[in-house]
Amino acid sequence: MSTPPLPHVWVLADPRVGTSSQAIGIAEALGWPFEIKKLTYSPLGVLPNIILGKSLFGIDKQLSDTLTPPYPNVIIGAGRRTAPVAKYIKSQSNDPCFLIHTMDPETSYSDFDCVFLPEHDGAATQDFVFPILGAPHRVTASKIQEAYQKWRLQFSQLPDPKIAVLVGGNSNGKTFTPDHATDLAMKATALATALDGSLLITTSRRTNSNAIDAMKANINCPYYMYDWRAPDLAENPYMGFLALATAIVVTGDSVSMVSEALATGKPLFIFAPDELVVPKFRQFHQQLYDRGYAKKLGSSLRLWQYQPPDVMNKITTIVHDSFIKKWQKLGATL
C-alpha cells in the first residue's frame, strides 16, 4: 500500500496567541513542512459563521498574509474565525484539501476532515470529531530541555524548588481584580514557603496593572516577576519557567496555559475562583482534579506525581491515519 507524499500545509494563525499556538502546535507535532498564515480580522469578523459561510469577508486582506494559489493540501485552523477562511480556500482549490480544526468552528463539522474539541465543550458523536483533554499545545520534552539549558543560570540565585506562576488576567467578560491577585500571591507564597523554595512569576498583557501591583505587594518569599509593562529581559521566560519549575501554578482563565503546564507532568495547581472563570472552564478544571492531574491552589502544600495525558500524540495519530485514508481513497491524487 502506497504512502502519500509530504503535503503542503498552511496554518491559519488567529491574532490571539493562545488560539494560534494550538494550530501551530498541531503543525509542529505532525512533522510536515508548513507555512504560517497570519490573519487580521475585519469588522465583519464578528458576524456568525452561518453568515460568513465560505468567505474571506471576516479578515482584513491588507493586513493579513496573502492567501493565493498554489493552495495547500492541508489547512490547520483554531477558533471560530479561521473556519470561514479554511472553507473558502478549500472551495477555491483545484486539488483535494484536508481541513484540520481545533476549538468549536461554530459551523457544520462535516466541512472538516478532523475536528478536535475539548471534552468540556461536549464533542459531537461523529466519526471525524475527536474529544481531547484541554487544548493542543507546543510543549515538548525537547523544548523543555532546550529552555532549561537557556535559562538555568539566569535564575540560579533563587532557591529550589522553584514554583512557576503563570498569570493570565481578564477573559470572557471576567475581571482579574487586585483582590484576586492578592489571594493568588498569598497562596503561592504559602506554597513556596512550605517547600523552602521560590516563585518564578510571569504576567501577560491580560494582567492589568492594579493586579500586578497587588501581587508584588503580597509576595513574601524569594521571587522573580516578569512584568510585561516594563520587561527587564529581551523575551518572556515563560518556557524557561516551565522548564525550571518543580511545580506550576496557573490561573484558570486560559485553557491553553493550563494545558501547557499539564504537558510538563509537573504538579499543577490551578487558581480559579468561581467568579473568575466561565462554567465550562470550571468543568475542565474539575476533570483535571478528578483524574489526579491537578489540585486547587491552597488545597494542599504537598507535591505529587502523575503521568500526563499525551494529547498531541493522540492528535497526530488520528490526523496521519485520516490523511492516509483520504489520500488512498482519492487514488493518490493529493
Side-chain angles (χ1 to χ4, degrees):
M1 188 173 291
S2 59
T3 302
L6 289 178
H8 180 200
V9 181
W10 282 4
V11 176
L12 303 180
D14 187 283
R16 295 165 296 181
V17 174
T19 300
S20 64
S21 65
Q22 295 186 37
I24 296 171
I26 292 175
E28 291 175 339
L30 287 171
W32 295 334
F34 64 91
E35 298 177 61
I36 296 176
K37 297 291 186 177
K38 295 182 179 179
L39 304 181
T40 298
Y41 299 125
S42 72
L44 295 179
V46 299
L47 292 174
N49 283 351
I50 193 172
I51 295 176
L52 292 174
K54 304 174 183 178
S55 75
L56 300 182
F57 295 138
I59 67 170
D60 186 322
K61 295 181 183 178
Q62 299 299 317
L63 299 179
S64 299
D65 286 344
T66 303
L67 302 174
T68 56
Y71 290 122
N73 306 119
V74 175
I75 298 175
I76 306 173
R80 178 187 73 81
R81 295 191 184 186
T82 64
V85 180
K87 290 163 59 177
Y88 169 83
I89 296 170
K90 181 175 182 177
S91 72
Q92 298 299 304
S93 179
N94 292 323
D95 298 318
C97 196
F98 191 88
L99 300 190
I100 303 166
H101 199 86
T102 185
M103 304 174 68
D104 191 345
E106 296 187 18
T107 185
S108 174
Y109 297 161
S110 62
D111 292 323
F112 302 86
D113 294 280
C114 290
V115 178
F116 297 98
L117 293 181
E119 291 179 12
H120 60 267
D121 274 353
T125 54
Q126 294 173 270
D127 290 342
F128 47 86
V129 179
F130 306 95
I132 58 174
L133 182 63
H137 55 78
R138 304 179 65 186
V139 175
T140 65
S142 61
K143 286 183 180 179
I144 290 293
Q145 180 59 31
E146 180 180 341
Y148 178 83
Q149 294 301 329
K150 178 177 181 177
W151 293 102
R152 62 187 179 88
L153 296 180
Q154 181 78 38
F155 303 105
S156 60
Q157 76 282 5
L158 289 171
D160 290 323
K162 296 178 174 65
I163 312 299
V165 183
L166 314 180
V167 187
N170 302 341
S171 179
N172 295 306
K174 308 290 186 178
T175 301
F176 184 67
T177 66
D179 286 343
H180 290 134
T182 297
D183 189 21
L184 171 60
M186 294 177 67
K187 287 177 178 176
T189 293
L191 178 60
T193 300
L195 300 172
D196 295 322
S198 59
L199 301 176
L200 295 173
I201 307 166
T202 179
T203 62
S204 72
R205 291 190 178 277
R206 292 189 295 105
T207 319
N208 64 66
S209 292
N210 290 337
I212 294 174
D213 293 338
M215 282 200 70
K216 288 182 175 181
N218 288 280
I219 299 171
N220 292 301
C221 66
Y223 79 98
Y224 168 84
M225 176 184 285
Y226 178 81
D227 186 339
W228 71 267
R229 301 171 302 178
D232 58 349
L233 297 172
E235 63 179 288
N236 189 330
Y238 178 91
M239 189 65 75
F241 287 1
L242 292 182
L244 295 172
T246 298
I248 303 172
V249 173
V250 189
T251 57
D253 51 276
S254 169
V255 173
S256 290
M257 282 203 310
V258 173
S259 299
E260 288 164 351
L262 177 64
T264 68
K266 298 178 180 182
L268 171 60
F269 296 90
I270 300 175
F271 177 78
D274 284 348
E275 70 277 8
L276 189 58
V277 295
V278 295
K280 67 178 182 179
F281 284 14
R282 287 201 294 272
Q283 182 179 345
F284 170 48
H285 302 155
Q286 191 61 51
Q287 289 172 338
L288 300 185
Y289 302 148
D290 292 344
R291 300 179 196 186
Y293 294 138
K295 295 181 181 180
K296 293 181 180 180
L297 180 63
S299 65
S300 173
L301 296 177
R302 290 189 169 190
L303 305 185
W304 71 101
Q305 295 182 333
Y306 63 92
Q307 183 65 37
D310 197 345
V311 172
M312 299 312 295
N313 183 61
K314 175 179 179 178
I315 290 174
T316 56
T317 299
I318 290 170
V319 170
H320 282 141
D321 183 60
S322 299
F323 179 76
I324 289 173
K325 286 180 179 177
K326 181 170 183 176
W327 182 82
Q328 292 169 343
K329 181 179 179 180
L330 295 173
T333 59
L334 281 175

